[in-house]
Structures are given as C-alpha cells and as structure tokens.
Amino acid sequence: METQQLYRGRLIDHLQLVVADLAASKKFYRAVFDAIGIPIGGEADDYFWADELFVSSVSSRAAAGALTGRTHLAFQANDRAMVERFHAAAIAAGGKDNGAPGERPYHPGYYAAFVLDPDGNNIEVVHHGSANRSADAIEITF
C-alpha cells in the first residue's frame, strides 16, 4: 500500500457539498483553489475534492440522492492580494459577488471577500491580518 499524507486542522476533518451541476461547480472551485494555492486532490465523474472539501453530484453514492442546503464556507488566505485574486477568479468562473474584498468589523485586520457559488453557497476567503500560526497544518501519515 502506498503511503498517503493528509493535512488537517483542529476541528474540521472534511465537509461535503452536494451540487446540482458538478461541471459548473468544478469550474468555479478550480478557479477558487487556483487563486488560493490549493490543488485538486482527486476527482471522478461524480465528485472532486481538495483538502478538506468534498464536492459531489446528487447522483454520487456519497450524496444519498439529496442536495445540501445553502452553506457558508470560509477559506484562509495568506494575504490581502490572495483575497482579491479569489474574488476576481470566482466571479470570472461563474460566481456571483456577495461582498467585494475589504475589511470587515469582526476583528482588526479581518480582510475578506464573498462570492456565491453556482448552488448559492456563500464562499468566503479571509486574511486575518498579522498573526502567528503555530503550524501550517497537521500532517497525518498512514
């Protein structure tokens, strides 16, 4: 068996979105992930995934035949420029503006943008300003 490595945060192991139009979602999320430097981890005819996010068609075995409801997902950015690249790329890939890049009142330095994906999910990319991380990710090897 080939060694596999996963990188995980502290709370979320993975999330699944079940979408109406997988091709439209794949186009949208490829643009988003390219803008924030996250590669597509794998894909098949009825799903694709990147990092902790799994996106599948309603006909996928994992979907149980039902679309997910409207969801808000926030992805991390390294800097403000990455937030701006996300916003432009997501709109160019079929997303709908839901909040242009800018500072938000949540805490000092919170800089974010929001775009609705093809299924109406509110996708945010946020840079928290100057902060120190203890690690980029947790590595899991099996």
Side-chain angles (χ1 to χ4, degrees):
M1 180 170 148
E2 183 179 322
T3 298
Q4 296 182 345
Q5 293 177 313
L6 302 173
Y7 296 89
R8 295 291 188 249
R10 293 185 49 202
L11 176 62
I12 304 297
D13 183 80
H14 67 278
L15 301 167
Q16 180 182 5
L17 293 177
V18 180
V19 299
D21 184 339
L22 188 65
S25 290
K26 191 181 293 187
K27 176 183 174 186
F28 175 84
Y29 283 102
R30 275 193 193 280
V32 167
F33 295 147
D34 284 349
I36 64 174
I38 301 294
I40 296 289
E43 60 186 299
D45 291 340
D46 58 354
Y47 71 87
F48 65 93
W49 63 272
D51 209 24
E52 291 96 353
L53 181 63
F54 183 84
V55 180
S56 64
S57 67
V58 73
S59 62
S60 168
R61 263 189 0 194
L67 297 171
T68 49
R70 187 173 186 274
T71 303
H72 173 80
L73 300 176
F75 302 133
Q76 299 176 43
N78 294 332
D79 52 36
R80 289 178 174 213
M82 187 177 277
V83 172
E84 293 164 7
R85 283 193 306 274
F86 149 74
H87 190 259
I91 289 173
K96 181 180 175 188
D97 177 42
N98 200 34
E103 289 202 25
R104 301 298 194 265
Y106 310 127
H107 66 69
Y110 195 109
Y111 190 85
F114 303 83
V115 176
L116 299 179
D117 78 1
D119 285 85
N121 295 300
N122 187 32
I123 308 305
E124 172 185 3
V125 169
V126 57
H127 174 60
H128 289 283
S130 59
N132 295 319
R133 291 177 180 259
S134 62
D136 288 336
I138 297 168
E139 181 179 347
I140 301 169
T141 304
F142 56 94

